C-alpha cells in the first residue's frame, strides 16, 4: 500500500511538472520566483550597469527596471539609440527617475582598454554600482566546418573576452565594497549544443564556464552571479549575426509571425532574475523550455528525438524558418 501511494505520488509529480514546464515561458524556478519571489521594485534606488542597452534584450531589461525606479547606466556604441532608450526609461518610470538617474555611456566593448574608465565614470556619477549586467553580444548562422578561424576569434572577443574583462573590473570593485552582483546574457545555446552557430554556441558555453567558476570561487563572499539564457527573442540579433565569413553579416530580419518572446517580456524576466539573485534562468516560448529540460536531464531521449525529427526541425524552432533560407541568405 505504502509503495502504491509513493508510486502514485511520484507519477502525479512527474505529470504536474511536465504540464507546468510546457505552459511556462521560462524555467520553473524563474516562474516560481515571478509569482512568489521578490518583485522588481525591490531593486528601487539601486544602480544597474547594462551593456548592449541600445536595443533588444538590454533595452527591454532597462525598461523593466526603470518602471520600478532602478537607476541605470546604459552602455553601447549607438548614441542616438541610447538617447532613445533613455527617453523611454524616463517616460516609463513615471516620475520615479530623473535625467540624472540614467547615465549614457557610449562604449565599444571591444575597446578593452577603455573598460576601467567607463566603469569608474559610472561609479563617480552615482557613487556606487550594485549590479553589472553584461548583455552586449552578437550571434551567428554558419555551417560548422566552413567557419573561418578569425570568426571564432572575433566572436570570442565580443561575447567572451570583453565580458570577462569588464566583469573582472566589477568584481574587484565589489570585493572592495563587500558585495555585488554580476549577470550575463548567455543563451539556450550556452546550455544545449545548437546547430549552425558553432562559434556562438562555443562562446556562450565558455561564458557558463567563466561565470560558474566565479560563483564557486566566491562562495560565501557576498557576490551573486546570474547567467541568463534566452531562446528566440524579437530583436536585431539575426540581422547583426556573424556568418562563417569575416565581414559578412547574416542580414535576415525576424518576421512578425516568428515564434519569439517579445523583448519587453524577456527584459521583465531578466529583471526578475536580477531581483531574486537567481544563479541561472531560461526563457523561451514553447516547446523550447521542455526541449532544453530534455536535452539537459534526458540526453538519450533528446538524441533519439533529434534523430527522428531531424536537425532542420531544431533550426525551424529557433529561427521560425527553413534551413534552406540560411543557405540562400549566405549566398547573397
Ligand atoms: N535575440 C535573441 O534571440 C537572443 C537569444 C539568446 C541570447 N541573446 C543574447 O542577448 C544579448 C543581446 O542581444 P539582442 O538579442 O538584444 O540583440 P541586439 O538588439 O542586436 O542587441 C545587441 C546589443 O549589443 C550591443 N553591442 C554589439 N556589439 C557591441 C560592441 N562592440 N560594443 C558595445 N555594444 C555592442 C548593441 O549595441 P550597439 O550596436 O549600439 O553597440 C546592442 O545594444 C546578446 O548577448 C545575445 O547573445 C539573444
Amino acid at each position: 500500500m505504502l509503495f502504491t501511494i509513493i508510486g502514485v505520488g511520484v507519477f502525479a509529480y512527474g505529470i504536474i511538472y511536465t504540464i507546468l514546464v510546457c505552459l511556462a515561458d521560462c524555467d520553473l524556478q524563474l516562474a516560481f520566483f515571478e509569482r512568489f519571489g521578490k518583485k522588481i521594485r525591490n531593486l528601487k534606488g539601486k544602480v544597474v550597469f547594462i551593456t548592449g542597452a541600445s536595443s533588444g534584450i538590454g533595452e527591454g531589461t532597462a525598461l523593466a527596471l526603470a518602471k520600478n525606479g532602478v537607476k541605470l547606466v546604459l552602455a553601447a556604441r549607438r548614441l542616438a539609440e541610447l538617447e532613445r532608450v533613455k527617453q523611454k526609461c524616463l517616460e516609463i518610470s513615471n516620475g520615479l527617475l530623473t535625467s540624472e538617474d540614467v547615465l549614457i555611456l557610449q562604449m565599444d566593448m571591444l575597446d578593452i582598454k577603455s573598460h576601467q574608465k567607463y566603469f569608474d565614470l559610472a561609479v563617480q556619477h552615482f557613487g556606487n554600482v550594485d549590479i553589472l549586467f553584461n548583455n552586449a553580444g552578437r550571434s551567428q548562422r554558419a555551417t560548422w566546418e566552413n567557419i573561418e578561424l578569425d570568426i571564432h576569434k572575433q566572436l570570442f572577443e565580443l561575447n567572451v573576452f570583453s565580458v570577462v574583462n569588464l566583469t573582472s573590473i566589477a568584481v574587484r570593485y565589489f570585493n572592495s565594497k563587500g558585495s555585488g552582483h554580476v549577470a550575463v546574457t548567455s543563451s539556450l545555446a550556452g546550455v544545449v549544443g545548437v546547430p549552425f552557430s558553432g562559434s556562438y554556441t562555443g562562446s556562450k558555453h565558455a561564458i557558463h564556464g567563466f561565470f560558474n567558476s566565479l560563483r564557486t570561487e566566491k562562495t560565501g563572499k557576498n557576490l551573486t552571479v546570474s547567467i541568463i539564457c534566452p531562446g528566440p527573442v524579437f530583436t536585431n540579433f539575426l540581422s547583426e549575426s556573424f556568418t562563417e565569413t569575416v565581414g559578412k553579416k547574416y542580414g535576415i530580419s525576424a518576421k512578425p509571425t516568428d515564434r519569439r518572446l517579445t523583448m519587453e517580456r524577456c527584459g521583465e524576466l531578466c529583471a526578475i532574475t536580477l531581483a531574486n539573485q537567481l544563479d541561472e534562468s531560461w526563457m523561451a516560448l514553447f516547446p523550447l523550455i521542455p526541449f532544453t529540460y530534455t536535452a539537459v536531464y534526458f540526453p538519450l531521449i533528446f538524441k533519439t528525438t533529434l534523430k527522428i525529427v531531424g536537425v532542420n526541425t531544431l533550426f525551424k524552432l529557433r529561427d521560425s524558418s527553413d534551413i534552406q533560407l540560411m543557405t540562400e541568405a549566405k549566398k547573397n
Side-chain angles (χ1 to χ4, degrees), residues 51-59 75-79 81-82 107-111 134-139 141 158-159 185-189 200 204 228-238 240 260 263 318:
T51 69
S54 58
S55 59
I57 295 171
E59 174 178 350
R77 293 165 303 175
R78 289 168 297 164
L79 193 55
E81 291 305 303
L82 288 170
M107 168 178 179
D108 185 345
M109 284 297 288
L110 293 173
D111 184 7
N134 293 285
N135 168 73
R138 283 176 61 191
S139 187
R141 295 296 177 271
L158 178 62
N159 287 5
T185 312
S186 171
S187 164
L188 291 182
Y200 178 71
K204 294 301 187 184
I228 296 177
C229 308
V233 182
F234 279 108
T235 68
N236 294 333
F237 196 52
L238 259 192
E240 283 299 303
R260 297 171 184 277
M263 62 101 168
R318 188 180 183 208

Side-chain angles (χ1 to χ4, degrees), residues 253-265:
S253 297
K255 302 176 295 304
T257 49
D258 284 1
R259 275 191 66 71
R260 297 171 184 277
L261 280 177
T262 62
M263 62 101 168
E264 289 85 358
R265 175 62 181 156

